[in-house]
Amino acid sequence: MRILVFSHYYPPEVNAPASRTSEHCKVWAEAGHDVTVITCAPNHPRGHVYDGYKNKLRQIEVMDGVRIVRVWTFLAANEGFAKRTINYLSYMISALITLPRIKRPDVILSTSPQFFCGLAGMFAKIMRRAPWILEVRDLWPESIVSVGAMERSFTVRRLEDLERLAYNQADHIVSVTDAFVPHIKDRLNSDKPISIVKNGVNLDLFKKGENAERTKARFGLEGRFVAAYVGTHGMAHGLDTILDAADLLRDDKRIGFLLIGDGAERERLVQKAKAMGLDNVHIAGQLPKSDMPDIWSATDVSLIVLKRSDTFKKVLPSKMFEAMAMECPIILGVEGEAKTLLEEARAGVAITPENADELTRNIKLLAGNPSQARQYGARGLAHVRNHFSRQTLAERYLDIFEAVRRRATHPHSIKSREAH
């Protein structure tokens, strides 16, 4: 089967969509399928092209058996609405320009957000007469309104019109959470098939190692109980709560804080930590994916937080699965589906989002109770092994591809069978 994937992000970028897409594609290629990804020159989140790459019209490489076609985009840092929109739109245009040079696929997958990446699949469906699957990883534009990046306006309403159009034109929709499904169904004009393929973790990569103390020493946190946040430093994440907790714990020399990642809020957080005189906090910036197992091994408790919003009750942070695979207990400041998952796994403690007092109290409890922390970690590992292996989830996608291809090839016979 020839599978064509549109993804704005791809390794060596290390964010969640790059990891999800590349790990799925690797499994599909290993299963013998012809997989092509159209993406950008790696530049997330600063808008600077990584060493060894150029931002040119078209460049091709093969990684893990996957053919990767990188197209030109208007480069922009992961901050500010106008430039990022131009960045996203330029990707869609460049991707569609290069499309005629790619063999006709059997199925097309595009992942949203970013939104115009999702829409690229809709145009590709028309241009190449192939069935299109839309993967919904976030509710956009609802999420950008929730974090205050945009106010509800004429522009947002037009974006919502495009959202409805995409949902209705897709041959199949894949949601990464259960909670997105009612929102999607509310915007559909028919009983379109919707599947749920949640985020997961590569259990071959994320294994607890022996370098915990060496990694702690790397960040000046040797001998401490490390409370770590690993992920995007964006407007949605409410990371001020972590700095406020660090302030409350500044005199507790047992505990240190580590923030790994980059994003629109990172520089402000660095300056705030300096202004507060927080010598128990290390903000390290973005690190290569190959460093992540050591980072997680040095993490005594994983802090997974978002701002308090009804929109974020529907999300399922991908870092939950990595933390559980690495046997890290979790303190979760997210309500809704993420909290339900944590309670099912019994892998940590849920707190009220943006509540520094609750965060502080639970960090202290786990720092003083290592046996409880180990229990949470062991339960989390067992849960992801049983339910969230990336290999298993990628294989489930292949079943979806095959079903969509059969429907497109024999629509009348399938409808006849469904009627009976």
Side-chain angles (χ1 to χ4, degrees):
M1 183 169 18
R2 281 200 294 271
I3 302 167
L4 175 62
V5 180
F6 291 91
S7 178
H8 196 83
Y9 307 105
Y10 206 81
E13 294 170 322
V14 297
N15 58 2
S19 296
R20 175 183 171 93
T21 303
S22 63
E23 289 170 7
H24 284 170
C25 287
K26 179 181 178 182
V27 172
W28 303 336
E30 287 174 346
H33 300 285
D34 183 345
V35 185
T36 299
V37 177
I38 302 180
T39 187
C40 313
N43 69 93
H44 177 82
R46 289 291 165 190
H48 301 306
V49 176
Y50 290 18
D51 291 343
Y53 291 88
K54 293 182 179 179
N55 186 28
K56 58 184 185 180
L57 290 178
R58 177 183 166 95
Q59 52 194 317
I60 298 173
E61 64 179 311
V62 176
M63 185 186 303
D64 296 322
V66 179
R67 184 170 179 259
I68 303 156
V69 180
R70 299 187 185 272
V71 298
W72 178 89
T73 60
F74 174 85
L75 296 179
N78 190 32
E79 54 191 46
F81 179 75
K83 287 185 177 180
R84 286 174 68 193
T85 300
I86 298 171
N87 169 238
Y88 298 159
L89 186 59
S90 68
Y91 162 77
M92 183 181 76
I93 294 169
S94 293
L96 294 176
I97 288 172
T98 203
L99 187 61
R101 300 176 66 179
I102 292 170
K103 289 182 180 178
R104 182 178 178 273
D106 295 305
V107 291
I108 298 165
L109 171 69
S110 64
T111 183
S112 172
Q114 60 90 356
F115 190 60
F116 291 104
C117 180
L119 284 179
M122 181 177 72
F123 292 110
K125 170 186 174 177
I126 298 167
M127 293 170 66
R128 302 314 305 264
R129 292 179 295 171
W132 166 45
I133 299 153
L134 174 63
E135 178 180 81
V136 181
R137 290 185 299 100
D138 201 356
L139 298 180
W140 200 92
E142 180 177 304
S143 59
I144 58 174
V145 175
S146 297
V147 301
M150 288 185 70
E151 295 181 356
R152 187 158 294 283
S153 62
F154 174 83
T155 300
V156 169
R157 289 193 294 274
R158 299 294 75 76
L159 291 173
E160 289 173 340
D161 291 340
L162 285 174
E163 178 194 23
R164 289 187 183 89
L165 177 65
Y167 292 163
N168 283 285
Q169 290 300 313
D171 295 283
H172 196 101
I173 296 174
V174 172
S175 170
V176 301
T177 74
D178 296 299
F180 288 172
V181 173
H183 174 98
I184 296 168
K185 284 185 173 179
D186 187 55
R187 285 152 179 76
L188 286 174
N189 299 327
S190 62
D191 294 328
K192 187 181 301 293
I194 301 175
S195 299
I196 298 166
V197 181
K198 296 184 180 181
N199 280 314
V201 64
N202 182 346
L203 292 168
D204 293 327
L205 174 64
F206 287 91
K207 295 179 180 177
K208 200 165 185 69
E210 305 295 328
N211 295 328
E213 286 306 318
R214 191 189 327 168
T215 304
K216 289 181 182 184
R218 173 182 172 186
F219 301 111
L221 297 169
E222 56 268 33
R224 293 197 180 197
F225 180 90
V226 172
Y229 171 85
V230 181
T232 302
H233 296 32
M235 295 176 67
H237 298 91
L239 300 184
D240 293 271
T241 306
I242 295 177
L243 297 189
D244 292 341
D247 187 28
L248 293 168
L249 289 167
R250 66 167 66 233
D251 296 326
D252 191 333
K253 300 306 179 184
R254 300 174 302 162
I255 298 168
F257 291 80
L258 179 62
L259 280 74
I260 302 290
D262 209 338
E265 291 282 279
R266 179 176 174 267
E267 188 54 38
R268 184 188 67 78
L269 292 165
V270 169
Q271 295 307 318
K272 179 175 179 176
K274 286 181 180 177
M276 295 170 72
L278 296 176
D279 59 6
N280 58 344
V281 176
H282 188 98
I283 303 177
Q286 181 171 291
L287 298 175
K289 188 172 183 178
S290 57
D291 284 6
M292 290 303 105
D294 283 346
I295 296 299
W296 283 114
S297 294
T299 298
D300 295 298
V301 61
S302 174
L303 310 181
I304 300 177
V305 296
L306 287 169
K307 287 187 173 181
R308 194 171 193 182
S309 165
D310 286 343
T311 297
F312 298 142
K313 292 179 181 179
K314 302 170 186 174
V315 306
L316 205 51
S318 61
K319 61 184 72 70
M320 289 183 70
F321 305 104
E322 295 175 2
M324 288 191 282
M326 296 299 296
E327 301 178 64
C328 293
I330 294 169
I331 299 178
L332 178 74
V334 186
E335 297 174 318
E337 187 165 342
K339 182 180 177 182
T340 300
L341 172 62
L342 185 74
E343 290 170 345
E344 289 173 351
R346 297 185 298 150
V349 181
I351 64 169
T352 306
E354 299 187 276
N355 190 314
D357 290 329
E358 283 187 41
L359 180 58
T360 300
R361 185 164 63 252
N362 282 284
I363 291 172
K364 289 179 70 174
L365 283 171
L366 287 176
N369 193 345
S371 63
Q372 180 66 71
R374 283 194 297 272
Q375 285 182 27
Y376 284 141
R379 292 171 188 159
L381 175 58
H383 196 72
V384 293
R385 277 179 174 165
N386 289 333
H387 302 287
F388 296 107
S389 160
R390 190 79 85 181
Q391 174 83 26
T392 302
L393 297 170
E395 290 169 356
R396 180 151 180 250
Y397 240 124
L398 289 175
D399 293 337
I400 294 169
F401 290 154
E402 188 57 44
V404 170
R405 183 171 73 157
R406 282 199 308 269
R407 276 202 308 273
T409 308
H410 306 291
H412 300 299
S413 61
I414 291 201
K415 285 181 182 178
S416 176
R417 286 200 302 270
E418 288 174 349
H420 291 84

